[in-house]
Amino acid sequence: MTSSHGRGLHLAAAVDQRSAYDADSYVALARLAESGGLDFVTLDDTFARPGPDALAVLSRVAPVTSRIGLVPTVTVTHTEPFQVQAAVATLDWVSRGRAGWRLDVSTTEGEARLFGRRHAAPADALWQEAGEVAEVAAQLWDSWEDDAEIRDTVTGRFVDREKLHHVDFEGSEFSVKGPSIVPRPPQGHPVRVVDATEGQARRTAARYADVALVRAASS
């Protein structure tokens, strides 16, 4: 799912469904969108409501689609950036280079209590942290060179250690050391999507997003 400057219009559809836990219903919607020529589908997710994990659902959709981009919402507050990037990279692998991810933050005290690590923070601080997650994810994806995997069965060597690179990232709320545990994704960097409707998210969107979502307003 590479961003393209050659086309003026990209079409997408949300496949959100309330109280739908069966993956088959999401598969059907994604395949319908693909047959209609859409560029990608999105699937919302949040800690505030019950429902299946968007990343896991679209990982199920990936093998039964062939062209359409797959963009789950990934909340980067209270989660481990190292695990987030590995999950997104895995989606890119199972979809053969069709993954994106919509970065989102968790702002409520109720959601914070689900984890018990810290209290809710102001939105501007959370979006700064989201930008740091986007930055360290990119560094971890770059920690494997494209030809780092050698898979030499004769010598028993899976990877060329000289083509793995150390990452030592210190963010405002987390630190990460690498390299990643997942080889470099087929796209290199899966497409980053940010909802820039709220003012606090716009700086992060401007710096890191490949796709920024805005709402149309009528006069």
Side-chain angles (χ1 to χ4, degrees), residues 15 41-43 53-63 70-72 91:
V15 294
V41 294
T42 64
L43 181 55
D53 179 80
L55 254 169
V57 169
L58 293 185
S59 293
R60 169 66 181 86
V61 170
L70 306 173
V71 183
L91 177 60

Side-chain angles (χ1 to χ4, degrees), residues 46-48 53 75-80 84 105-120:
T46 173
F47 299 141
D53 179 80
T75 302
V76 297
T77 312
H78 307 303
T79 53
E80 294 290 342
V84 166
V105 300
S106 172
T107 61
T108 70
E109 188 63 29
E111 292 171 288
R113 285 197 297 269
L114 296 174
F115 295 85
R117 296 177 179 176
R118 57 174 171 158
H119 292 291

Side-chain angles (χ1 to χ4, degrees), residues 56-188:
V57 169
L58 293 185
S59 293
R60 169 66 181 86
V61 170
V64 293
T65 53
S66 60
R67 182 196 55 78
I68 198 162
L70 306 173
V71 183
T73 294
V74 181
T75 302
V76 297
T77 312
H78 307 303
T79 53
E80 294 290 342
F82 190 91
Q83 300 302 327
V84 166
Q85 65 82 28
V88 175
T90 299
L91 177 60
D92 204 44
W93 276 108
V94 299
S95 66
R96 299 183 180 181
R98 292 183 285 125
W101 56 315
R102 184 171 83 85
L103 289 83
D104 201 6
V105 300
S106 172
T107 61
T108 70
E109 188 63 29
E111 292 171 288
R113 285 197 297 269
L114 296 174
F115 295 85
R117 296 177 179 176
R118 57 174 171 158
H119 292 291
D124 56 350
L126 294 176
W127 279 109
Q128 176 185 336
E129 181 184 357
E132 294 169 352
V133 174
E135 175 63 32
V136 75
Q139 291 186 26
L140 287 164
W141 293 329
D142 288 340
S143 67
W144 287 61
E145 295 185 23
D146 288 333
D147 56 350
E149 290 183 77
I150 53 178
R151 297 177 181 265
D152 189 337
T153 57
V154 175
T155 63
R157 296 174 67 216
F158 172 74
V159 65
D160 183 347
R161 293 185 179 181
E162 298 300 318
K163 295 184 178 182
L164 298 185
H165 304 289
H166 186 71
V167 173
D168 190 354
F169 186 92
E170 191 74 32
S172 56
E173 295 291 337
F174 63 85
S175 61
V176 173
K177 295 185 183 297
S180 177
I181 56 174
V182 179
R184 180 174 169 84
Q187 293 181 91

